[in-house]
Each structure stands twice: as structure tokens, then as C-alpha cells.
Amino acid sequence: MLRLFMAHPSGICADDLILHWQELNDIYAHESRFDDPELREKVLASLCAESKRVFYSNISRIKRKFVKVLGSKKAAGYYIKRNKSGLYRTNAVFTAL
């Protein structure tokens, strides 16, 4: 999911996540352990659900992983955060090795 936010540096509204369905599907198909298209559809449906519970859980999980690997001070630059206009975005910039 971090790749989605990196591809949209200006940010994404949580309620508009469904508009990025195909992009999310491509990301999950490439990087996820879900090889089954039906299962991937269910995962994406829960991610884009109106309640946004899974969306917020994924953002928290990504944050915890960065903190675990980098420590809280260094990880702060990689968080997906909501800005004043309500858009979720990250300041993360990754380069190929």
C-alpha cells in the first residue's frame, strides 16, 4: 500500500481509495502473497470498505514496521499521515539500489 501513496505524492482521500482499485490490484498482484484473484478481490474490498477499518489498520501496521526497523525518529519520514486538507500522503522517497 505504501507504493500507492508514493505514486500519488499530493495525497489520496481515504474515501476515494476505491477510485484507485486497479492500481491497488496491480500492486497486490505484484507484491502480495495472495495469488488467488478472488481472495485478492476480497482483500481489496475490505481495504476500500466504507468503514475504512482495514485501511487504518494497514497504515498503523506499516508505521509499526518502519519503527521496528528504523526506530521512531528515523521512521517518522516514512509514515502515511493525513494532512490538514484530509489527504493521506507520505514524504517517503525510495531509490533503487
Side-chain angles (χ1 to χ4, degrees):
M1 190 163 79
L2 183 61
R3 279 185 47 200
L4 177 70
F5 290 95
M6 290 175 60
H8 298 276
S10 60
I12 296 173
C13 177
D15 290 336
D16 294 340
L17 199 58
I18 192 83
L19 300 175
H20 301 276
W21 183 277
Q22 188 57 51
E23 193 174 357
L24 281 165
N25 188 51
D26 293 345
I27 290 168
Y28 272 69
H30 183 259
E31 294 189 10
S32 176
R33 65 178 185 257
F34 302 116
D35 291 334
D36 179 2
E38 257 185 61
L39 181 55
R40 193 168 51 245
E41 286 277 325
K42 288 179 184 179
V43 168
L44 291 176
S46 66
L47 179 66
C48 297
E50 195 172 321
S51 72
K52 300 294 177 264
R53 189 181 88 241
V54 173
F55 172 73
Y56 299 130
S57 294
N58 279 335
I59 288 176
S60 293
R61 184 177 44 81
I62 291 167
K63 179 180 176 179
R64 280 192 309 272
K65 286 185 178 188
F66 274 113
V67 169
K68 184 178 179 179
V69 172
L70 300 174
S72 58
K73 188 174 181 179
K74 288 182 181 179
Y78 298 95
Y79 295 163
I80 298 168
K81 296 188 284 188
R82 190 175 66 162
N83 64 18
K84 291 178 183 176
S85 61
L87 297 177
Y88 285 83
R89 60 186 301 268
T90 183
N91 293 327
V93 177
F94 295 96
T95 57
L97 297 176

